[in-house]
Amino acid sequence: MAAGDGGHPSDETTVRGAGPRQTWAALPWLIRSAVVWSACLVVIAAGLYLLAQITLLVTPLAIAVAATLFLAALLDPVRLALRRLRLPGALAALLTVLLLLGILGGVGILVWSLTADQFSELGDELGQGLERTRDFVISTLPVTEEQLDGLLAQLRQTVSQQEVDPIASARTVIEVAGSALLALVLLFFLLKDGREMWHWTLRRAAGRNREIAAEAGRVGWRTLGSYSRGTMLIAAIDAIGIGLALVLLRVPLAFPLALITFIGGFVPIVGATVAGAVAVLVALAANGPTTALLTLAAVIAVQQMEGNLLEPLVMKRQVRLHPAVILIAVTAGTLVAGIAGAFVAVPITAVAWRVIDSVQRQRQAAAATGDSA
């Protein structure tokens, strides 16, 4: 470009450099938003996939750590009560762990003595209930007996083809036992030195980040404690309510079914649904369709009372999650770590959500304070 043209030599370079920005700005806002969100989703999906792969490699360790945190949050009030009695930290932690072992051992012995002979009957009752359900399906739906039997035979063949590997089974037993032992040892140290560990971690942060991390940690720990204690209380109330209904309806195996309901209460929505279905099938096999319908009504009534009355009272509002989020979390946990993953998925999701929300609120508060200053 000549000097007499009144331009500058850098104008053409500037225009060329601004070309991509102008092209991006010329795109419709919907396309720009779709590109940005798609890129974010790809990054998040890649991160979650990598995290899932790492978790699969160390599944026993991950389950042990999750169980340790759950039990520590559940038993922390016991340890604090023992500390108020001026017991040393190590002794208070040891007594808390021994109390847990005593309760688990006592409940296990009681359950075994009361239900050891009944669990074999439970399988027979479930088989009879499924048989009656088969007859009901054939009589009410446009499905022939041959079609349904063929489908069931194919399902049985698929299940029977899954050969049991004794080496893999022994390895699984060893991993479960090792994870349980590791969880107990970690539980002792976490109850004994957990706060010192957390303070040491906070000292690694500096300035405003330390305050954000401290508050996020407090919120996450309170959420986990509230969730663990609330879940156990709600599961116990569900088991008692459904167990009493089964006794009043003279359904056999009421105690084993109540125990299944209690265990299922630790897997929100899915666990309660499965436990209720088992109770209805047993009632159908033992006493017929009328008792089965009454059992179904009792199960629905107890679960509605739990969801609309007990859960809002027992669980704090910040612990509650939307049912869709719970279903996604339980499904993801089951796919990653099986039954154990289903148990720990919801508390991990609740804590993660509360920690992220706490960090976001603190950053917004800090930004608002800076703008006002």
Side-chain angles (χ1 to χ4, degrees):
M1 181 179 292
D5 293 340
H8 295 282
S10 61
D11 287 350
E12 186 177 355
T13 305
T14 303
V15 171
R16 281 200 302 266
R21 291 195 296 270
Q22 292 175 344
T23 303
W24 173 257
L27 293 174
W29 68 269
L30 184 60
I31 295 179
R32 285 181 292 171
S33 300
V35 170
V36 173
W37 279 106
S38 298
C40 293
L41 289 176
V42 168
V43 173
I44 293 173
L48 291 176
Y49 176 79
L50 181 60
L51 180 62
Q53 293 301 314
I54 296 174
T55 304
L56 286 175
L57 293 176
V58 292
T59 298
L61 176 61
I63 293 174
V65 172
T68 300
L69 292 174
F70 186 88
L71 291 174
L74 179 66
L75 298 173
D76 193 50
V78 178
R79 185 196 66 85
L80 291 176
L82 293 175
R83 288 289 287 162
R84 293 191 189 99
L85 299 177
R86 300 186 182 279
L87 293 179
L91 181 58
L94 179 60
L95 290 177
T96 303
V97 174
L98 292 177
L99 176 62
L100 172 66
L101 292 176
I103 293 175
L104 292 178
V107 171
I109 293 174
L110 177 62
V111 170
W112 179 260
S113 62
L114 293 177
T115 63
D117 298 331
Q118 295 180 339
F119 269 107
S120 59
E121 300 176 14
L122 179 60
D124 298 335
E125 296 289 348
L126 283 176
Q128 296 177 20
L130 291 174
E131 187 66 25
R132 288 198 175 189
T133 304
R134 169 184 172 278
D135 297 337
F136 174 78
V137 170
I138 293 175
S139 61
T140 57
L141 297 180
V143 178
T144 63
E145 184 176 356
E146 291 76 12
Q147 291 175 336
L148 187 59
D149 289 341
L151 181 61
L152 293 177
Q154 184 178 1
L155 181 61
R156 293 192 193 98
Q157 183 179 2
T158 302
V159 174
S160 63
Q161 289 176 352
Q162 304 296 324
E163 298 181 357
V164 178
D165 187 357
I167 298 178
S169 301
R171 180 181 176 182
T172 301
V173 172
I174 294 174
E175 288 181 352
V176 171
S179 298
L181 181 60
L182 177 61
L184 287 176
V185 175
L186 290 177
L187 177 61
F188 168 76
F189 285 113
L190 190 60
L191 291 173
K192 175 179 174 290
D193 300 322
R195 279 172 171 76
E196 288 75 11
M197 294 177 183
W198 177 241
H199 292 155
W200 181 88
T201 303
L202 287 179
R203 287 195 293 270
R204 307 281 75 80
R208 179 66 181 171
N209 291 332
R210 180 182 300 177
E211 299 177 6
I212 293 176
E215 179 60 24
R218 284 192 291 267
V219 169
W221 187 250
R222 286 197 300 266
T223 301
L224 183 58
S226 300
Y227 179 88
S228 58
R229 291 185 289 272
T231 300
M232 179 166 288
L233 180 58
I234 290 175
I237 294 175
D238 281 353
I240 293 172
I242 293 178
L244 287 176
L246 295 176
V247 171
L248 293 176
L249 293 173
R250 300 182 182 277
V251 176
L253 311 172
F255 191 85
L257 292 173
L259 177 62
I260 293 174
T261 302
F262 176 76
I263 297 174
F266 289 90
V267 184
I269 299 178
V270 177
T273 302
V274 173
V278 172
V280 172
L281 283 175
V282 172
L284 176 63
N287 298 340
T290 302
T291 304
L293 290 176
L294 292 175
T295 302
L296 178 61
V299 170
I300 293 175
V302 171
Q303 292 180 357
Q304 288 298 313
M305 183 182 67
E306 170 215 317
N308 298 319
L309 179 62
L310 291 177
E311 189 173 354
L313 291 176
V314 175
M315 294 283 199
K316 294 182 179 180
R317 181 172 295 274
Q318 61 264 28
V319 181
R320 302 181 66 192
L321 296 173
H322 193 277
V325 177
I326 292 175
L327 287 174
I328 294 174
V330 171
T331 303
T334 304
L335 293 175
V336 172
I339 297 177
F343 278 93
V344 302
V346 177
I348 290 176
T349 303
V351 171
W353 166 248
R354 288 298 301 157
V355 168
I356 294 172
D357 183 65
S358 172
V359 172
Q360 184 179 8
R361 288 177 182 273
Q362 290 186 79
R363 291 191 182 279
Q364 290 175 351
T369 302
D371 292 342
S372 62

